[in-house]
Amino acid sequence: MTVNDWIHVIAGFFILASLALGTWVHPYWYFFTAFVGANLFQFGFSKFCPLGIILKKLGVPEQR
């Protein structure tokens, strides 16, 4: 899997987990969902993602 694949997997997990936490624990967890969505939105325009930098340093390949 490439960096881009991992970004989508981890972002999807964070969104689903924060929605569950917002439903069953406390509604303030929805702010985390909004943060992940905003980060994905800005990534679409700027191509800057902190998680991408971390994954590259961990040795995840950028291309197949």
Side-chain angles (χ1 to χ4, degrees), residues 7-26:
I7 289 171
H8 286 100
V9 168
I10 293 170
F13 172 76
F14 280 166
I15 289 171
L16 292 175
S18 63
L19 286 173
L21 289 167
T23 301
W24 292 309
V25 178
H26 198 280

Side-chain angles (χ1 to χ4, degrees), residues 2-3 10 19 32 36 49 51 57 59:
T2 64
V3 170
I10 293 170
L19 286 173
F32 186 66
V36 174
C49 181
L51 178 60
K57 288 186 180 184

Side-chain angles (χ1 to χ4, degrees), residues 35-55:
F35 171 75
V36 174
N39 195 18
L40 287 170
F41 183 76
Q42 70 84 25
F43 175 72
F45 291 106
S46 67
K47 300 299 183 215
F48 173 75
C49 181
L51 178 60
I53 295 168
I54 293 169
L55 291 171

